[in-house]
Amino acid sequence: MLNEAKIRKIQITKSFEGGSAASAFGRGGITNRAYTENDRTQGYSNRELMSQQQETIAVQDEGLSRISAIVKRQKEIGLTIGDEIDGQNDLIEEITEKADETGARINRQTRGIKHVGAKSGSACGYWIVIILLFVSIISMVVWKIA
């Protein structure tokens, strides 16, 4: 878009400087049709019109330069956001892997606890052994005292 404006500016400049109409406006050149003035051009000389056009083109060039700078900045922001997203995705992937590993370890430990529980039977047997040991310790203490 910026290049098109510059090309158009060169074409207009050549046409007002007396350059070849064919080279200024391409293959067909300027036609011989009569141009009518409108409210914007009436009462101005060719030089004044050329000056106005050059001012307009300069304003447009400035606007295009600003737009270009904005687009470049947005591109930089987009690339930075893309890099950040890639980094976040790497972290999420790492966390997912660690969570899967932890889940697998929890499952292994749960199976191990179930296996130990199945081998040991019920807790009632442990309580009987504990009570018998307690009674034997008490009876030894009483027998030593007596």
Side-chain angles (χ1 to χ4, degrees):
M1 186 174 219
L2 185 59
N3 288 337
E4 291 174 13
K6 287 181 180 179
I7 291 170
R8 184 71 180 137
K9 178 180 177 183
I10 291 169
Q11 289 174 341
I12 292 170
T13 303
K14 283 185 178 181
S15 71
F16 282 106
E17 290 174 352
S20 153
S23 66
F25 289 96
R27 290 179 288 177
I30 299 176
T31 62
N32 289 330
R33 71 178 190 181
Y35 290 100
T36 57
E37 291 192 31
N38 59 30
D39 292 337
R40 290 184 342 186
T41 61
Q42 197 168 13
Y44 293 104
S45 69
N46 283 344
R47 289 209 184 278
E48 291 172 328
L49 290 173
M50 189 172 114
S51 175
Q52 286 178 356
Q53 286 178 339
Q54 287 175 343
E55 288 175 16
T56 302
I57 290 172
V59 169
Q60 289 174 345
D61 285 347
E62 183 180 328
L64 289 173
S65 295
R66 288 183 193 161
I67 290 172
S68 176
I70 290 168
V71 169
K72 285 178 185 177
R73 179 65 182 141
Q74 287 178 337
K75 177 184 175 186
E76 291 172 7
I77 291 170
L79 292 173
T80 302
I81 289 171
D83 291 343
E84 182 65 25
I85 288 172
D86 289 342
Q88 295 294 324
N89 284 340
D90 291 343
L91 290 174
I92 289 170
E93 199 172 298
E94 184 179 331
I95 290 169
T96 302
E97 289 173 5
K98 290 189 181 210
D100 289 345
E101 290 172 7
T102 302
R105 280 188 284 173
I106 288 172
N107 288 337
R108 279 194 308 272
Q109 295 298 325
T110 303
R111 283 192 306 269
I113 290 171
K114 286 180 182 178
H115 182 69
V116 169
K119 280 188 173 182
S120 67
S122 66
C124 183
Y126 288 117
W127 282 108
I128 292 172
V129 171
I130 291 171
I131 292 172
L132 287 174
L133 285 173
F134 183 70
V135 169
S136 64
I137 291 172
I138 298 277
S139 63
M140 289 169 131
V141 169
V142 170
W143 182 62
K144 284 239 179 193
I145 294 180

